[in-house]
Amino acid sequence: MPTKILTIGEILVEIVATTKGDGFLEAQPLTGPYPSGAPAIFIDQVGKLGAACAIISRVGDDDFGTLNLRRLVADGVDTNGIAIAPGESTGSAFVRYREDGSRRFVFNIAHSACGRLEKTRAAADLIHECSHLHLMGSALAAPGMRALALDALHTIKARGGSISFDPNLRRELLDTPGLHEALQQTLAHTDIFLPSGDELYLFTRAQNEEEAIAELLARGIAEIILKRGAAGASHYSQAGRVDIAAHNVTETDPTGAGDSFGGAYIALRKNGAGIATALRYANAAGARAVTCVGPMEGTSTKAELDALLAANSKKHVSA
């Protein structure tokens, strides 16, 4: 029976400044709204690859909520676990890029509809139906989301299911009360760990990558996929290390690339694909995501990923 993949966390819209600079202390021209939220982007990518999947979240009865619901349904995601809150607002994130490519965010998550997520009957049913749970650090930042996420983690793990975890931590969220404890609790039950860059060191006192990987594998994590952005990715397990180079694409908007990478990897890996195949498609999904403006605009079908992989293969042959 195919694995049904569940995620829990924020659904929001993203609004992007079209100018570069540091923050929003003066008026900026903007583009959007775009469907967003790290768990939503992840699960949208899972759905686009045809894997059974669902998300538990909460949106307002507003246009921003409708925008997200329509996108998720169109891409094959079970949205029965998304509660619609009358009179409340869907979460939002304003983002402005700096000249060096880094980003400055202004979030409204904790005090939006998703920040007051509760365990509904529909949510409980989905937790029972799904055998794999994917969690992100951003979903552990708000008390309501955190409580439900940890409840689902323990329930699914106790039933013999599996857990994947992507820290996905923005600087603006790091000082959230209770976050550190929730992150450690999640990591202790993780089977597949997907950190980006220096997130690897958030959970270890190791001084270098080799030591950090060894320590995390010793804790019982089966797979670690270190996302390196433009430098590709590395997969670690007790069997050793596998590296994959990045694709040569023109970056337009990197937001959501890591979520797309993770969605593709988990969708394939939890439904029978080997490590090499899942890693190859995940790498392509991350690469294709950065070519589109808007965090969910770059999620990909298998046909789109096959086309990117074929084009890249031809470039190597001609070179």
Side-chain angles (χ1 to χ4, degrees):
M1 183 176 178
T3 297
K4 187 168 185 179
I5 298 163
L6 175 67
T7 194
I8 297 172
E10 72 274 15
I11 291 176
L12 49 88
V13 293
E14 188 159 302
I15 297 168
V16 184
T18 60
T19 62
K20 292 183 178 180
D22 190 21
F24 291 90
L25 297 178
E26 62 279 324
Q28 301 296 323
L30 306 168
T31 183
Y34 298 107
S36 189
I41 300 164
F42 166 87
I43 210 68
D44 189 78
Q45 178 59 78
V46 174
K48 270 199 169 180
L49 290 177
C53 62
I55 183 171
I56 296 172
S57 190
R58 195 165 181 266
V59 297
D61 59 343
D62 53 21
D63 287 353
F64 292 168
T66 301
L67 177 71
N68 276 283
L69 286 167
R70 287 178 177 174
R71 172 64 62 85
L72 293 168
V73 169
D75 290 342
V77 178
D78 181 343
T79 60
N80 287 324
I82 301 175
I84 300 174
E88 296 186 32
S89 298
T90 301
S92 62
F94 288 76
V95 59
R96 189 180 183 202
Y97 285 83
R98 301 183 179 96
E99 292 292 343
D100 63 2
S102 64
R103 294 164 288 175
R104 179 68 178 271
F105 287 88
V106 176
F107 289 109
N108 174 28
I109 297 176
H111 300 292
S112 70
C114 63
R116 291 182 282 275
L117 189 60
E118 298 176 345
K119 190 175 183 179
T120 62
R121 169 51 57 188
D125 289 345
L126 282 174
I127 292 170
H128 179 74
E129 290 174 21
C130 296
S131 55
H132 182 84
L133 174 66
H134 180 81
L135 290 180
M136 293 182 162
S138 56
L140 300 171
M145 288 191 286
R146 181 191 308 147
L148 183 53
L150 293 177
D151 175 75
L153 180 148
H154 292 297
T155 301
I156 290 174
K157 193 73 173 183
R159 206 171 59 233
S162 53
I163 308 296
S164 54
F165 175 41
D166 182 343
N168 190 51
L169 290 170
R170 307 295 186 203
R171 178 178 62 84
E172 294 85 352
L173 302 177
L174 287 175
D175 294 330
T176 302
L179 177 60
H180 179 74
E181 293 79 4
L183 293 170
Q184 292 292 345
Q185 190 175 161
T186 301
L187 189 71
H189 294 85
T190 293
D191 300 287
I192 302 176
F193 185 42
L194 299 109
S196 294
D198 288 344
E199 287 178 343
L200 180 69
Y201 300 102
L202 289 172
F203 305 92
T204 172
R205 295 180 180 178
Q207 299 300 307
N208 57 57
E209 183 177 308
E210 182 178 356
E211 291 178 0
I213 293 295
E215 180 181 331
L216 293 169
L217 289 174
R219 294 187 195 180
I221 298 173
E223 299 181 45
I224 300 170
I225 303 95
L226 181 59
K227 296 171 286 181
R228 304 180 186 275
S234 299
H235 180 283
Y236 298 91
S237 68
Q238 294 293 354
R241 171 177 175 168
V242 177
D243 293 314
I244 188 164
H247 292 280
N248 184 19
V249 295
T250 301
E251 180 179 294
T252 301
D253 182 357
T255 304
D259 308 322
S260 296
F261 180 108
Y265 188 84
I266 298 300
L268 292 165
R269 191 78 178 103
K270 299 309 298 182
N271 285 285
I275 289 170
T277 297
L279 191 61
R280 188 163 60 96
Y281 276 97
N283 196 46
R288 189 173 180 276
V290 306
T291 66
C292 303
V293 176
M296 203 182 287
E297 306 310 302
T299 55
S300 305
T301 63
K302 188 172 183 296
E304 289 167 334
L305 296 180
D306 282 334
L308 187 149
L309 289 166
N312 190 65
S313 178
K314 288 179 181 179
K315 288 178 183 177
H316 283 300
V317 171
S318 62

